[in-house]
Amino acid sequence: MRNIRMTVSYDGTSYSGFQTQPIKNTVQDVLEGALLSLTGETIKITSSGRTDAGVHSRGQVINFHTASKIPVHRWCLALNSLLPPDIVVSNAQEVADTFHARRSAVQKTYRYTIRCGRHPDLFKRHYEFHHPTPLNTDAMQAGLQWLLGRHDFTSFCSVRSTKLSNIRTILKARLECEPLDPLLNSYAIHIYVTGNGFLYNMVRIIVGTLLQVGEGKRTSDSIKEILEAQNRAKAGPTAMAHGLTLWEVVYDQATN
Amino acid sequence: MRNIRMTVSYDGTSYSGFQTQPIKNTVQDVLEGALLSLTGETIKITSSGRTDAGVHSRGQVINFHTASKIPVHRWCLALNSLLPPDIVVSNAQEVADTFHARRSAVQKTYRYTIRCGRHPDLFKRHYEFHHPTPLNTDAMQAGLQWLLGRHDFTSFCSVRSTKLSNIRTILKARLECEPLDPLLNSYAIHIYVTGNGFLYNMVRIIVGTLLQVGEGKRTSDSIKEILEAQNRAKAGPTAMAHGLTLWEVVYDQATN
């Protein structure tokens, strides 16, 4: 059996998330359906991790084992011709048998985009959260820095999580402000968060809380207090899914 | 009666074009429906010109006459709350009674976007035409220059056109190459064409012909010969609608 690794981009708008669910339209179901058509095999794919309904991906990574003899450079075009236009695979590689898209992942980056301005950009309406009034991005940036390092993220984790430990390490966190239309005073805020792993709804709760910091409803330093409280009720709401994109997953070269 | 002018952006993907059609879902129908809800008046809007099914707009301009007393700064938010998310109005102004969105227009710019690269960018799949192999953009740029000035554009006009004269003036024409992913050798080609008016399918036939120039199937100078032939059959195919956006409409300040 060969072990094939691929990058998967998708527009999550029409899907009930990445991971297979009974009687649900998920990205995994569609990918496995295309693999069945292509190879005749019932293939179970492994991903770097699930994404919620409505969340997008630019850099999801999957792997799967197959007896198929299709040359590695043919996989992407063959699969893309079977996939709907809102899922695209790229970078197919044959990898060592030990490579596992979730367990071998070393770090993962998510990006959340907020568009500030009177009107949304309709061409990006499925990929940006629209906030009609200005936000204090300096305060948001300052709040974001409290998350760096190793912490118990219970306050930033859905109560529906079933993980045994809520301790994760945030390796990088930055906020980029992209000026759009100076006449309309509109700009996009991109929040990039890189960690060794993420809890259920973690990035969306972080962003929902930072939005309140940007609106002046909380101070930047409140992020530190929320972390210490280890209580989901202390943080802000879960930001809407459509602003979130799984940006990149990084692996050790040894497992590639 | 007041004369109100607005800019309308729309994602043309789900519409049968701009202009009202019997039993069809058009942008004009949706706008007039929202105006009826807002004002209680049956308002007929005038646009700078129709756009085809699937074509988008960033800068369509409309005007309409109304007895409504709604203050001008309230129109956009009020209408946008009644419009679907793929149509957004902005820049409402009260203008002189003589202003007419089509007749007062001095020049109009369209943008056509082609994405060259192995895979489409799925997040822009409704707004870019995907061309999987590289194009000779220098040759396309050279071909485009033949269109500048006043010409009979019969060769670049759908045979279904009902216009009396096919003479138009192209004021500006440029091709911009936007590098995207150097590893994948992918780039976007934006073709901007500004004219005093356009014929039915004119920009799409220009682009369909330039694509053949970029593929090496025609020379740059063939554009001159096609113009002179005044024969639609001499030009290339009509490029797909979804790459085209009505970019901007310019008016004399006097008519504003």
Side-chain angles (χ1 to χ4, degrees):
Chain A
M1 297 284 270
R2 300 157 78 200
N3 190 9
I4 306 284
R5 168 188 166 166
M6 281 181 190
T7 303
V8 187
S9 305
Y10 46 87
D11 178 337
T13 308
S14 313
Y15 296 98
S16 306
F18 184 84
Q19 187 171 276
T20 300
Q21 290 184 40
I23 340 174
K24 285 255 186 159
N25 173 41
T26 70
V27 177
Q28 183 175 355
D29 292 326
V30 174
L31 281 168
E32 290 178 352
L35 284 167
L36 175 62
S37 299
L38 184 63
T39 64
E41 298 170 48
T42 300
I43 288 173
K44 175 93 181 150
I45 62 178
T46 300
S47 75
S48 74
R50 66 183 76 182
T51 55
D52 289 347
V55 172
H56 316 291
S57 161
R58 178 180 166 277
Q60 174 69 290
V61 173
I62 60 165
N63 76 292
F64 55 87
H65 293 84
T66 175
S68 165
K69 300 275 187 278
I70 299 172
V72 75
H73 69 278
R74 301 276 309 154
W75 277 95
C76 292
L77 282 178
L79 265 185
N80 284 330
S81 69
L82 296 166
L83 287 167
D86 53 4
I87 303 179
V88 172
V89 294
S90 56
N91 303 325
Q93 305 167 44
E94 191 166 345
V95 285
D97 199 51
T98 50
F99 178 85
H100 184 281
R102 190 179 73 254
R103 277 188 240 125
S104 309
V106 174
Q107 61 180 58
K108 213 184 251 192
T109 299
Y110 280 94
R111 183 176 93 166
Y112 196 98
T113 297
I114 302 156
R115 186 194 183 83
C116 286
R118 198 166 175 195
H119 306 296
D121 178 345
L122 64 90
F123 298 109
K124 294 182 177 163
R125 67 192 183 281
H126 296 306
Y127 316 120
E128 297 178 341
F129 171 70
H130 177 229
H131 192 277
T133 54
L135 290 165
N136 181 343
T137 50
D138 288 341
M140 291 168 77
Q141 172 74 54
L144 191 57
Q145 299 316 305
W146 285 114
L147 301 170
L148 285 170
R150 190 167 181 270
H151 302 284
D152 184 307
F153 284 95
T154 301
S155 296
F156 295 97
C157 174
S158 165
V159 291
R160 290 180 290 154
S161 168
T162 54
K163 293 279 168 68
L164 293 176
S165 162
N166 290 338
I167 293 175
R168 295 292 182 278
T169 300
I170 297 297
L171 302 155
K172 285 182 269 186
R174 66 190 167 94
L175 183 151
E176 255 182 37
C177 213
E178 180 193 354
L180 296 168
D181 190 332
L183 286 177
L184 295 169
N185 192 26
S186 72
Y187 48 95
I189 300 169
H190 304 292
I191 298 171
Y192 293 85
V193 185
T194 302
N196 67 345
F198 289 90
L199 301 165
Y200 190 27
N201 283 352
M202 181 167 151
V203 180
R204 290 168 59 192
I205 300 170
I206 289 172
V207 171
T209 310
L210 287 175
L211 278 166
Q212 296 186 324
V213 171
E215 289 165 344
K217 293 178 184 160
R218 292 178 187 269
T219 64
S220 307
D221 294 348
S222 72
I223 301 291
K224 179 171 182 281
E225 296 154 23
I226 296 166
L227 265 179
E228 287 166 355
Q230 299 184 22
N231 176 357
R232 169 69 185 90
K234 296 292 182 190
T238 306
M240 288 179 75
H242 72 278
L244 187 62
T245 302
L246 172 52
W247 199 251
E248 193 182 23
V249 188
V250 173
Y251 292 87
D252 251 347
Q253 291 213 290
T255 62
N256 262 343
Chain B
M1 297 285 269
R2 300 157 78 199
N3 189 9
I4 307 284
R5 168 188 165 167
M6 280 180 190
T7 302
V8 187
S9 305
Y10 46 87
D11 177 336
T13 309
S14 314
Y15 296 98
S16 306
F18 185 84
Q19 188 171 275
T20 299
Q21 289 185 42
I23 340 172
K24 285 255 186 162
N25 173 41
T26 70
V27 178
Q28 184 175 353
D29 292 326
V30 174
L31 281 168
E32 290 178 352
L35 284 166
L36 176 62
S37 300
L38 184 63
T39 64
E41 299 170 48
T42 300
I43 289 173
K44 176 92 181 151
I45 62 177
T46 301
S47 74
S48 74
R50 65 183 76 181
T51 54
D52 289 349
V55 173
H56 315 292
S57 160
R58 178 181 167 276
Q60 174 68 290
V61 174
I62 60 164
N63 76 292
F64 55 87
H65 293 83
T66 175
S68 165
K69 299 276 185 278
I70 299 171
V72 75
H73 69 276
R74 300 278 306 155
W75 277 97
C76 291
L77 282 179
L79 265 184
N80 284 330
S81 70
L82 296 166
L83 287 167
D86 53 3
I87 303 180
V88 171
V89 295
S90 57
N91 303 327
Q93 305 167 41
E94 192 166 345
V95 286
D97 199 50
T98 49
F99 178 85
H100 185 282
R102 191 180 73 254
R103 278 189 238 124
S104 309
V106 174
Q107 60 180 59
K108 213 184 250 191
T109 300
Y110 281 94
R111 183 176 93 165
Y112 197 97
T113 298
I114 301 156
R115 186 193 183 83
C116 285
R118 199 168 175 194
H119 306 297
D121 178 346
L122 64 90
F123 298 109
K124 293 182 177 162
R125 67 192 185 281
H126 296 305
Y127 316 120
E128 295 178 342
F129 172 69
H130 177 229
H131 192 277
T133 54
L135 290 165
N136 181 343
T137 51
D138 289 341
M140 292 169 76
Q141 173 73 52
L144 190 57
Q145 300 315 306
W146 286 113
L147 301 171
L148 285 170
R150 191 167 180 271
H151 302 284
D152 183 309
F153 283 95
T154 301
S155 296
F156 295 97
C157 174
S158 165
V159 292
R160 290 180 291 155
S161 168
T162 54
K163 292 278 166 68
L164 293 175
S165 163
N166 289 339
I167 293 175
R168 295 291 183 276
T169 300
I170 297 297
L171 302 155
K172 286 182 268 187
R174 66 190 167 94
L175 182 151
E176 255 182 37
C177 212
E178 181 193 352
L180 296 168
D181 191 331
L183 285 176
L184 296 169
N185 193 25
S186 72
Y187 48 95
I189 300 170
H190 303 291
I191 298 171
Y192 293 86
V193 185
T194 302
N196 67 344
F198 290 89
L199 301 166
Y200 190 27
N201 283 352
M202 182 166 150
V203 180
R204 291 168 59 191
I205 299 169
I206 289 173
V207 171
T209 311
L210 286 174
L211 279 165
Q212 295 186 326
V213 172
E215 289 164 346
K217 294 179 185 161
R218 291 176 187 270
T219 65
S220 308
D221 294 348
S222 71
I223 302 291
K224 179 170 183 281
E225 296 153 23
I226 296 166
L227 265 179
E228 287 166 355
Q230 299 184 23
N231 176 356
R232 169 68 185 92
K234 296 292 182 190
T238 306
M240 288 180 76
H242 72 278
L244 187 62
T245 301
L246 172 53
W247 199 251
E248 193 182 24
V249 188
V250 173
Y251 292 88
D252 251 348
Q253 290 213 291
T255 62
N256 263 343

